[in-house]
Amino acid sequence: MHRVRTGVRRSAVDYFRGDGSDWIALVGLLLTVPLIAATTLANSVWCSPAALVLPIVAGGLLLRPASLLGLYAAAATALIVESVQLGPYTEGPSRVTPGVVLVVAACGFFGLLIAQFRSRVGVPWRRGGTMLFDLRERIRVQSKLPKLPQGWHREMALRPAGGQSFSGDFVVAARTNGGRTLEVVLTDVSGKGMDAGSRALLLSGAFGGLLGSLPPHAFLPAANGYLLRQDWDEGFATSIHLVLDLDSGDYELYSAGHPPGLQLSAGSGRWEEKAAEGPLLGVYEGAQFDPVKGSLRAGDVLMLFTDGLVETSDRDIVEGIDRLTGEADRYVAGGFQGAAWHLIEAVARDVNDDRALLLICREGPTAQTVPVR
C-alpha cells in the first residue's frame, strides 16, 4: 500500500508538472462517462444527454490525442446506450436528438484540435499559463532598476498596448565601475504587445549580458551586431543608452534611432532635448553611435521614453513632446515621486502602442556632496 500511494503521488506530481503520463486524468474522465449516462437514464430532465460534453471538454484540455480518442469512444458508446434505453426522440422530450449528437461531436472535434496543437507545441495546458506567467515575471525582473545612492531618485513605468501583459518595450540597467556608474538601456522592439513580447524577452536577456561587460561606447555596436545575426523578418529596434556618473552627475547619452531624452534644468525651469546621433539597431553593419553629453545638477531631471508615449497617427512627435513636458511641469514643485505612471496616464492613456517612461532625478538638498573627515 505504501508503494501504491508513493507511485500515485509521484505520477500526480509528474502529470501536473507536464512530465508524466495522463493515465490518472484518463481514468477519472472515463469513470465520469458511465456516471453521467446512468444519471441521464435515471432522470433525463435534470441530466440531459448533452451533459456528456463535460468530460469531452475536460479531456481536450488535459489529455493527449491518443488518450482522447479512447475517451471519445466511451462517450459515443454512452450516447448509443442512452438512445436505446430512452427510446426514439420523436416519442418524448429529454432524449438523444440529432442536435445533441452534433453538439457532442463538435465539442469532440475542437477538443481534438486543441490537444493536437498542444502536443505539437510540447507545452501541456496545465503548464502553459504558468510558463507565460514566468516569462512575464522574467521581463519584469530584468527591467527592475538598481537602487541608487542617497540624493538620487529613479522610477520606471511600462504600459503594454491593449492592456496586455507583454510589451515590446523593456529596460535593462546595472551599476558598473564599482557601483559609481549607472547604465540604463531603454529599448523599443518593432511591433507591439504579444507580437513583440518574445523578441523583447530574447533581446532583454542578451542586452543584460552585454551591459557592463563592454565599455559604454561599444554596447550599441555589439547590440546592433546581435540583431543582425538573428536575421528576423521584422528585426529592427530603437534604443537609448544612458551612462551616468552618480558622483559628479555627468552623463553620456547614446541613441540608436530613439526619441531624444529630455532634461529639466532646475535653474531655468526649462526642458532641453538631448538628441544623440545613431541609426536603428539591426539595419546595417558598421553603424556608428555618437553620444551627447550633459550633467545633472541638484534638482535636475532626466526623462527617457519610447515613441508610443509621444507619437500617434494623428499627432507628431514634436506635439507629443510638448504635451509631455507640459504635464511634467506640474510635478516640478512637489517632486517626481510616482510621476512616471501618472504621466503615461495623462499623455497616452488610450494609445494602442507600447509606452515606457524612465525618470532619473537628482534631488536638491541631498544631492550635495558632504565632506568626509
mmCIF file of all heavy atoms in Angstrom, residues 186-232:
data_model
loop_
_atom_site.group_PDB
_atom_site.id
_atom_site.type_symbol
_atom_site.label_atom_id
_atom_site.label_comp_id
_atom_site.label_asym_id
_atom_site.label_seq_id
_atom_site.Cartn_x
_atom_site.Cartn_y
_atom_site.Cartn_z
ATOM 1 N N LEU A 186 17.089 51.672 -22.564
ATOM 2 C CA LEU A 186 15.655 51.613 -22.858
ATOM 3 C C LEU A 186 15.494 51.275 -24.338
ATOM 4 O O LEU A 186 16.005 51.993 -25.201
ATOM 5 C CB LEU A 186 14.987 52.956 -22.539
ATOM 6 C CG LEU A 186 13.505 53.091 -22.893
ATOM 7 C CD1 LEU A 186 12.665 52.050 -22.163
ATOM 8 C CD2 LEU A 186 13.003 54.501 -22.579
ATOM 9 N N THR A 187 14.785 50.174 -24.611
ATOM 10 C CA THR A 187 14.693 49.647 -25.977
ATOM 11 C C THR A 187 13.238 49.492 -26.379
ATOM 12 O O THR A 187 12.392 49.104 -25.575
ATOM 13 C CB THR A 187 15.412 48.293 -26.082
ATOM 14 O OG1 THR A 187 16.772 48.442 -25.672
ATOM 15 C CG2 THR A 187 15.383 47.765 -27.509
ATOM 16 N N ASP A 188 12.982 49.784 -27.645
ATOM 17 C CA ASP A 188 11.656 49.623 -28.239
ATOM 18 C C ASP A 188 11.793 48.687 -29.433
ATOM 19 O O ASP A 188 12.347 49.063 -30.467
ATOM 20 C CB ASP A 188 11.102 50.983 -28.671
ATOM 21 C CG ASP A 188 9.693 50.878 -29.253
ATOM 22 O OD1 ASP A 188 9.137 49.767 -29.260
ATOM 23 O OD2 ASP A 188 9.157 51.910 -29.696
ATOM 24 N N VAL A 189 11.298 47.449 -29.282
ATOM 25 C CA VAL A 189 11.373 46.458 -30.346
ATOM 26 C C VAL A 189 10.250 46.714 -31.347
ATOM 27 O O VAL A 189 9.142 47.132 -30.975
ATOM 28 C CB VAL A 189 11.270 45.039 -29.757
ATOM 29 C CG1 VAL A 189 11.345 43.981 -30.851
ATOM 30 C CG2 VAL A 189 12.377 44.817 -28.738
ATOM 31 N N SER A 190 10.519 46.477 -32.608
ATOM 32 C CA SER A 190 9.496 46.663 -33.635
ATOM 33 C C SER A 190 8.308 45.752 -33.353
ATOM 34 O O SER A 190 8.446 44.613 -32.933
ATOM 35 C CB SER A 190 10.072 46.347 -35.018
ATOM 36 O OG SER A 190 10.570 45.021 -35.058
ATOM 37 N N GLY A 191 7.105 46.276 -33.586
ATOM 38 C CA GLY A 191 5.887 45.567 -33.222
ATOM 39 C C GLY A 191 5.393 46.039 -31.874
ATOM 40 O O GLY A 191 5.936 46.998 -31.286
ATOM 41 N N LYS A 192 4.366 45.369 -31.356
ATOM 42 C CA LYS A 192 3.802 45.772 -30.075
ATOM 43 C C LYS A 192 3.094 44.593 -29.436
ATOM 44 O O LYS A 192 2.707 43.633 -30.095
ATOM 45 C CB LYS A 192 2.816 46.933 -30.246
ATOM 46 C CG LYS A 192 1.650 46.644 -31.187
ATOM 47 C CD LYS A 192 0.819 47.889 -31.421
ATOM 48 C CE LYS A 192 -0.305 47.609 -32.423
ATOM 49 N NZ LYS A 192 -1.102 48.812 -32.712
ATOM 50 N N GLY A 193 2.937 44.686 -28.131
ATOM 51 C CA GLY A 193 2.186 43.692 -27.380
ATOM 52 C C GLY A 193 2.784 42.301 -27.508
ATOM 53 O O GLY A 193 4.003 42.098 -27.450
ATOM 54 N N MET A 194 1.890 41.292 -27.664
ATOM 55 C CA MET A 194 2.309 39.895 -27.728
ATOM 56 C C MET A 194 3.212 39.622 -28.916
ATOM 57 O O MET A 194 4.087 38.761 -28.855
ATOM 58 C CB MET A 194 1.074 38.998 -27.790
ATOM 59 C CG MET A 194 0.275 38.948 -26.506
ATOM 60 S SD MET A 194 1.135 38.075 -25.180
ATOM 61 C CE MET A 194 1.148 36.413 -25.845
ATOM 62 N N ASP A 195 3.019 40.344 -30.044
ATOM 63 C CA ASP A 195 3.827 40.108 -31.234
ATOM 64 C C ASP A 195 5.298 40.395 -30.972
ATOM 65 O O ASP A 195 6.174 39.728 -31.509
ATOM 66 C CB ASP A 195 3.331 40.970 -32.395
ATOM 67 C CG ASP A 195 1.918 40.608 -32.805
ATOM 68 O OD1 ASP A 195 1.532 39.450 -32.569
ATOM 69 O OD2 ASP A 195 1.206 41.474 -33.343
ATOM 70 N N ALA A 196 5.582 41.403 -30.168
ATOM 71 C CA ALA A 196 6.968 41.790 -29.891
ATOM 72 C C ALA A 196 7.463 41.243 -28.561
ATOM 73 O O ALA A 196 8.642 41.394 -28.244
ATOM 74 C CB ALA A 196 7.089 43.318 -29.894
ATOM 75 N N GLY A 197 6.592 40.606 -27.766
ATOM 76 C CA GLY A 197 6.982 40.155 -26.438
ATOM 77 C C GLY A 197 8.091 39.117 -26.450
ATOM 78 O O GLY A 197 9.021 39.183 -25.642
ATOM 79 N N SER A 198 8.010 38.134 -27.371
ATOM 80 C CA SER A 198 9.042 37.097 -27.405
ATOM 81 C C SER A 198 10.384 37.668 -27.811
ATOM 82 O O SER A 198 11.429 37.308 -27.248
ATOM 83 C CB SER A 198 8.620 35.986 -28.370
ATOM 84 O OG SER A 198 8.404 36.518 -29.671
ATOM 85 N N ARG A 199 10.394 38.576 -28.796
ATOM 86 C CA ARG A 199 11.662 39.186 -29.194
ATOM 87 C C ARG A 199 12.205 40.094 -28.103
ATOM 88 O O ARG A 199 13.416 40.181 -27.898
ATOM 89 C CB ARG A 199 11.459 39.978 -30.490
ATOM 90 C CG ARG A 199 11.369 39.101 -31.718
ATOM 91 C CD ARG A 199 11.078 39.896 -32.963
ATOM 92 N NE ARG A 199 9.698 40.373 -32.972
ATOM 93 C CZ ARG A 199 9.297 41.474 -33.583
ATOM 94 N NH1 ARG A 199 10.175 42.238 -34.188
ATOM 95 N NH2 ARG A 199 8.035 41.818 -33.578
ATOM 96 N N ALA A 200 11.310 40.778 -27.383
ATOM 97 C CA ALA A 200 11.760 41.623 -26.283
ATOM 98 C C ALA A 200 12.398 40.786 -25.182
ATOM 99 O O ALA A 200 13.404 41.203 -24.576
ATOM 100 C CB ALA A 200 10.579 42.423 -25.723
ATOM 101 N N LEU A 201 11.838 39.609 -24.901
ATOM 102 C CA LEU A 201 12.421 38.740 -23.879
ATOM 103 C C LEU A 201 13.813 38.287 -24.292
ATOM 104 O O LEU A 201 14.748 38.286 -23.487
ATOM 105 C CB LEU A 201 11.511 37.539 -23.648
ATOM 106 C CG LEU A 201 12.022 36.502 -22.652
ATOM 107 C CD1 LEU A 201 12.127 37.101 -21.265
ATOM 108 C CD2 LEU A 201 11.125 35.275 -22.629
ATOM 109 N N LEU A 202 13.971 37.895 -25.547
ATOM 110 C CA LEU A 202 15.272 37.445 -26.027
ATOM 111 C C LEU A 202 16.293 38.582 -25.995
ATOM 112 O O LEU A 202 17.424 38.411 -25.527
ATOM 113 C CB LEU A 202 15.137 36.891 -27.448
ATOM 114 C CG LEU A 202 16.424 36.392 -28.108
ATOM 115 C CD1 LEU A 202 17.011 35.228 -27.324
ATOM 116 C CD2 LEU A 202 16.162 35.977 -29.548
ATOM 117 N N LEU A 203 15.890 39.756 -26.462
ATOM 118 C CA LEU A 203 16.820 40.880 -26.500
ATOM 119 C C LEU A 203 17.159 41.382 -25.108
ATOM 120 O O LEU A 203 18.296 41.800 -24.856
ATOM 121 C CB LEU A 203 16.225 42.022 -27.333
ATOM 122 C CG LEU A 203 16.125 41.788 -28.844
ATOM 123 C CD1 LEU A 203 15.573 43.017 -29.536
ATOM 124 C CD2 LEU A 203 17.482 41.424 -29.424
ATOM 125 N N SER A 204 16.196 41.369 -24.185
ATOM 126 C CA SER A 204 16.489 41.856 -22.841
ATOM 127 C C SER A 204 17.532 40.977 -22.162
ATOM 128 O O SER A 204 18.410 41.474 -21.447
ATOM 129 C CB SER A 204 15.206 41.901 -22.011
ATOM 130 O OG SER A 204 14.665 40.605 -21.830
ATOM 131 N N GLY A 205 17.465 39.656 -22.396
ATOM 132 C CA GLY A 205 18.490 38.784 -21.842
ATOM 133 C C GLY A 205 19.854 39.036 -22.463
ATOM 134 O O GLY A 205 20.866 39.076 -21.762
ATOM 135 N N ALA A 206 19.887 39.212 -23.797
ATOM 136 C CA ALA A 206 21.164 39.473 -24.465
ATOM 137 C C ALA A 206 21.736 40.828 -24.068
ATOM 138 O O ALA A 206 22.935 40.949 -23.778
ATOM 139 C CB ALA A 206 20.967 39.405 -25.981
ATOM 140 N N PHE A 207 20.894 41.866 -24.028
ATOM 141 C CA PHE A 207 21.374 43.197 -23.659
ATOM 142 C C PHE A 207 21.827 43.228 -22.201
ATOM 143 O O PHE A 207 22.783 43.926 -21.851
ATOM 144 C CB PHE A 207 20.280 44.231 -23.890
ATOM 145 C CG PHE A 207 20.035 44.542 -25.349
ATOM 146 C CD1 PHE A 207 20.648 43.800 -26.348
ATOM 147 C CD2 PHE A 207 19.181 45.570 -25.720
ATOM 148 C CE1 PHE A 207 20.421 44.078 -27.686
ATOM 149 C CE2 PHE A 207 18.952 45.852 -27.060
ATOM 150 C CZ PHE A 207 19.572 45.095 -28.042
ATOM 151 N N GLY A 208 21.110 42.495 -21.334
ATOM 152 C CA GLY A 208 21.535 42.443 -19.939
ATOM 153 C C GLY A 208 22.900 41.809 -19.781
ATOM 154 O O GLY A 208 23.678 42.190 -18.896
ATOM 155 N N GLY A 209 23.222 40.807 -20.636
ATOM 156 C CA GLY A 209 24.553 40.209 -20.593
ATOM 157 C C GLY A 209 25.626 41.122 -21.138
ATOM 158 O O GLY A 209 26.769 41.110 -20.660
ATOM 159 N N LEU A 210 25.292 41.939 -22.141
ATOM 160 C CA LEU A 210 26.275 42.864 -22.709
ATOM 161 C C LEU A 210 26.529 44.067 -21.800
ATOM 162 O O LEU A 210 27.647 44.571 -21.735
ATOM 163 C CB LEU A 210 25.795 43.361 -24.077
ATOM 164 C CG LEU A 210 25.717 42.332 -25.209
ATOM 165 C CD1 LEU A 210 25.093 42.961 -26.447
ATOM 166 C CD2 LEU A 210 27.097 41.772 -25.533
ATOM 167 N N LEU A 211 25.494 44.495 -21.093
ATOM 168 C CA LEU A 211 25.618 45.703 -20.281
ATOM 169 C C LEU A 211 26.599 45.457 -19.129
ATOM 170 O O LEU A 211 26.433 44.535 -18.339
ATOM 171 C CB LEU A 211 24.251 46.094 -19.727
ATOM 172 C CG LEU A 211 24.138 47.501 -19.129
ATOM 173 C CD1 LEU A 211 24.313 48.541 -20.218
ATOM 174 C CD2 LEU A 211 22.793 47.694 -18.446
ATOM 175 N N GLY A 212 27.586 46.287 -19.043
ATOM 176 C CA GLY A 212 28.604 46.151 -18.013
ATOM 177 C C GLY A 212 29.767 45.270 -18.413
ATOM 178 O O GLY A 212 30.822 45.317 -17.778
ATOM 179 N N SER A 213 29.571 44.442 -19.451
ATOM 180 C CA SER A 213 30.664 43.595 -19.926
ATOM 181 C C SER A 213 31.490 44.278 -21.001
ATOM 182 O O SER A 213 32.588 43.798 -21.322
ATOM 183 C CB SER A 213 30.104 42.280 -20.486
ATOM 184 O OG SER A 213 29.354 41.593 -19.507
ATOM 185 N N LEU A 214 30.965 45.355 -21.556
ATOM 186 C CA LEU A 214 31.656 46.109 -22.596
ATOM 187 C C LEU A 214 31.779 47.565 -22.180
ATOM 188 O O LEU A 214 30.981 48.052 -21.366
ATOM 189 C CB LEU A 214 30.869 46.024 -23.916
ATOM 190 C CG LEU A 214 30.695 44.636 -24.551
ATOM 191 C CD1 LEU A 214 29.751 44.736 -25.737
ATOM 192 C CD2 LEU A 214 32.036 44.076 -24.981
ATOM 193 N N PRO A 215 32.741 48.289 -22.719
ATOM 194 C CA PRO A 215 32.783 49.736 -22.492
ATOM 195 C C PRO A 215 31.505 50.386 -23.016
ATOM 196 O O PRO A 215 30.876 49.874 -23.952
ATOM 197 C CB PRO A 215 34.020 50.180 -23.289
ATOM 198 C CG PRO A 215 34.842 48.952 -23.475
ATOM 199 C CD PRO A 215 33.877 47.809 -23.524
ATOM 200 N N PRO A 216 31.072 51.483 -22.426
ATOM 201 C CA PRO A 216 29.796 52.096 -22.853
ATOM 202 C C PRO A 216 29.719 52.372 -24.348
ATOM 203 O O PRO A 216 28.673 52.164 -24.959
ATOM 204 C CB PRO A 216 29.746 53.386 -22.027
ATOM 205 C CG PRO A 216 30.547 53.083 -20.809
ATOM 206 C CD PRO A 216 31.651 52.183 -21.268
ATOM 207 N N HIS A 217 30.836 52.830 -24.950
ATOM 208 C CA HIS A 217 30.782 53.176 -26.370
ATOM 209 C C HIS A 217 30.665 51.948 -27.259
ATOM 210 O O HIS A 217 30.317 52.068 -28.449
ATOM 211 C CB HIS A 217 32.028 53.968 -26.769
ATOM 212 C CG HIS A 217 33.300 53.161 -26.683
ATOM 213 N ND1 HIS A 217 34.037 53.050 -25.525
ATOM 214 C CD2 HIS A 217 33.952 52.410 -27.615
ATOM 215 C CE1 HIS A 217 35.097 52.286 -25.732
ATOM 216 N NE2 HIS A 217 35.057 51.873 -26.986
ATOM 217 N N ALA A 218 30.915 50.741 -26.722
ATOM 218 C CA ALA A 218 30.860 49.519 -27.529
ATOM 219 C C ALA A 218 29.547 48.770 -27.371
ATOM 220 O O ALA A 218 29.333 47.764 -28.061
ATOM 221 C CB ALA A 218 32.022 48.599 -27.160
ATOM 222 N N PHE A 219 28.661 49.245 -26.493
ATOM 223 C CA PHE A 219 27.433 48.487 -26.245
ATOM 224 C C PHE A 219 26.510 48.479 -27.456
ATOM 225 O O PHE A 219 26.076 47.413 -27.917
ATOM 226 C CB PHE A 219 26.696 49.064 -25.038
ATOM 227 C CG PHE A 219 25.359 48.422 -24.802
ATOM 228 C CD1 PHE A 219 25.263 47.224 -24.129
ATOM 229 C CD2 PHE A 219 24.180 49.004 -25.284
ATOM 230 C CE1 PHE A 219 24.033 46.602 -23.925
ATOM 231 C CE2 PHE A 219 22.954 48.395 -25.087
ATOM 232 C CZ PHE A 219 22.879 47.189 -24.408
ATOM 233 N N LEU A 220 26.144 49.641 -27.987
ATOM 234 C CA LEU A 220 25.200 49.684 -29.104
ATOM 235 C C LEU A 220 25.751 49.010 -30.358
ATOM 236 O O LEU A 220 24.991 48.325 -31.061
ATOM 237 C CB LEU A 220 24.794 51.128 -29.397
ATOM 238 C CG LEU A 220 23.837 51.766 -28.385
ATOM 239 C CD1 LEU A 220 23.466 53.181 -28.802
ATOM 240 C CD2 LEU A 220 22.574 50.914 -28.204
ATOM 241 N N PRO A 221 27.049 49.162 -30.717
ATOM 242 C CA PRO A 221 27.557 48.379 -31.856
ATOM 243 C C PRO A 221 27.427 46.872 -31.644
ATOM 244 O O PRO A 221 27.096 46.137 -32.572
ATOM 245 C CB PRO A 221 29.025 48.811 -31.950
ATOM 246 C CG PRO A 221 29.045 50.190 -31.391
ATOM 247 C CD PRO A 221 28.039 50.174 -30.280
ATOM 248 N N ALA A 222 27.682 46.391 -30.414
ATOM 249 C CA ALA A 222 27.528 44.960 -30.151
ATOM 250 C C ALA A 222 26.062 44.548 -30.227
ATOM 251 O O ALA A 222 25.731 43.474 -30.752
ATOM 252 C CB ALA A 222 28.103 44.629 -28.774
ATOM 253 N N ALA A 223 25.163 45.387 -29.710
ATOM 254 C CA ALA A 223 23.731 45.089 -29.797
ATOM 255 C C ALA A 223 23.263 45.085 -31.243
ATOM 256 O O ALA A 223 22.431 44.255 -31.643
ATOM 257 C CB ALA A 223 22.938 46.104 -28.977
ATOM 258 N N ASN A 224 23.790 45.993 -32.048
ATOM 259 C CA ASN A 224 23.432 46.043 -33.466
ATOM 260 C C ASN A 224 23.880 44.769 -34.179
ATOM 261 O O ASN A 224 23.134 44.189 -34.972
ATOM 262 C CB ASN A 224 24.073 47.270 -34.105
ATOM 263 C CG ASN A 224 23.736 47.394 -35.581
ATOM 264 O OD1 ASN A 224 22.585 47.527 -35.957
ATOM 265 N ND2 ASN A 224 24.767 47.341 -36.424
ATOM 266 N N GLY A 225 25.091 44.292 -33.875
ATOM 267 C CA GLY A 225 25.567 43.062 -34.480
ATOM 268 C C GLY A 225 24.745 41.851 -34.054
ATOM 269 O O GLY A 225 24.498 40.947 -34.850
ATOM 270 N N TYR A 226 24.293 41.839 -32.800
ATOM 271 C CA TYR A 226 23.463 40.728 -32.322
ATOM 272 C C TYR A 226 22.144 40.680 -33.070
ATOM 273 O O TYR A 226 21.686 39.595 -33.475
ATOM 274 C CB TYR A 226 23.220 40.887 -30.824
ATOM 275 C CG TYR A 226 22.348 39.812 -30.236
ATOM 276 C CD1 TYR A 226 22.870 38.573 -29.901
ATOM 277 C CD2 TYR A 226 20.986 40.025 -30.025
ATOM 278 C CE1 TYR A 226 22.069 37.569 -29.374
ATOM 279 C CE2 TYR A 226 20.173 39.038 -29.500
ATOM 280 C CZ TYR A 226 20.726 37.811 -29.175
ATOM 281 O OH TYR A 226 19.930 36.834 -28.658
ATOM 282 N N LEU A 227 21.497 41.819 -33.276
ATOM 283 C CA LEU A 227 20.232 41.840 -34.007
ATOM 284 C C LEU A 227 20.418 41.407 -35.449
ATOM 285 O O LEU A 227 19.569 40.690 -36.007
ATOM 286 C CB LEU A 227 19.623 43.243 -33.957
ATOM 287 C CG LEU A 227 18.355 43.375 -33.101
ATOM 288 C CD1 LEU A 227 18.721 43.259 -31.637
ATOM 289 C CD2 LEU A 227 17.653 44.682 -33.366
ATOM 290 N N LEU A 228 21.514 41.820 -36.073
ATOM 291 C CA LEU A 228 21.746 41.422 -37.457
ATOM 292 C C LEU A 228 21.932 39.914 -37.583
ATOM 293 O O LEU A 228 21.490 39.312 -38.568
ATOM 294 C CB LEU A 228 22.985 42.151 -37.996
ATOM 295 C CG LEU A 228 22.819 43.650 -38.254
ATOM 296 C CD1 LEU A 228 24.157 44.277 -38.604
ATOM 297 C CD2 LEU A 228 21.817 43.898 -39.383
ATOM 298 N N ARG A 229 22.541 39.289 -36.578
ATOM 299 C CA ARG A 229 22.756 37.841 -36.631
ATOM 300 C C ARG A 229 21.459 37.057 -36.459
ATOM 301 O O ARG A 229 21.372 35.900 -36.858
ATOM 302 C CB ARG A 229 23.765 37.419 -35.561
ATOM 303 C CG ARG A 229 25.181 37.877 -35.843
ATOM 304 C CD ARG A 229 26.166 37.196 -34.927
ATOM 305 N NE ARG A 229 25.954 37.533 -33.529
ATOM 306 C CZ ARG A 229 26.493 38.577 -32.911
ATOM 307 N NH1 ARG A 229 27.272 39.416 -33.587
ATOM 308 N NH2 ARG A 229 26.251 38.798 -31.628
ATOM 309 N N GLN A 230 20.430 37.667 -35.864
ATOM 310 C CA GLN A 230 19.157 36.959 -35.692
ATOM 311 C C GLN A 230 18.416 36.784 -37.003
ATOM 312 O O GLN A 230 17.629 35.857 -37.154
ATOM 313 C CB GLN A 230 18.266 37.715 -34.685
ATOM 314 C CG GLN A 230 18.906 37.940 -33.340
ATOM 315 C CD GLN A 230 19.515 36.686 -32.768
ATOM 316 O OE1 GLN A 230 18.863 35.664 -32.621
ATOM 317 N NE2 GLN A 230 20.805 36.764 -32.436
ATOM 318 N N ASP A 231 18.628 37.692 -37.952
ATOM 319 C CA ASP A 231 18.012 37.599 -39.282
ATOM 320 C C ASP A 231 16.492 37.484 -39.191
ATOM 321 O O ASP A 231 15.860 36.648 -39.846
ATOM 322 C CB ASP A 231 18.586 36.402 -40.050
ATOM 323 C CG ASP A 231 18.281 36.472 -41.552
ATOM 324 O OD1 ASP A 231 18.050 37.601 -42.034
ATOM 325 O OD2 ASP A 231 18.274 35.425 -42.214
ATOM 326 N N TRP A 232 15.877 38.343 -38.367
ATOM 327 C CA TRP A 232 14.421 38.376 -38.238
ATOM 328 C C TRP A 232 13.815 39.139 -39.411
ATOM 329 O O TRP A 232 14.421 40.059 -39.960
ATOM 330 C CB TRP A 232 14.014 39.052 -36.935
ATOM 331 C CG TRP A 232 14.283 38.223 -35.711
ATOM 332 C CD1 TRP A 232 14.291 36.870 -35.623
ATOM 333 C CD2 TRP A 232 14.580 38.713 -34.391
ATOM 334 N NE1 TRP A 232 14.569 36.470 -34.341
ATOM 335 C CE2 TRP A 232 14.739 37.571 -33.568
ATOM 336 C CE3 TRP A 232 14.717 39.981 -33.835
ATOM 337 C CZ2 TRP A 232 15.047 37.674 -32.216
ATOM 338 C CZ3 TRP A 232 15.013 40.081 -32.488
ATOM 339 C CH2 TRP A 232 15.177 38.936 -31.690
#
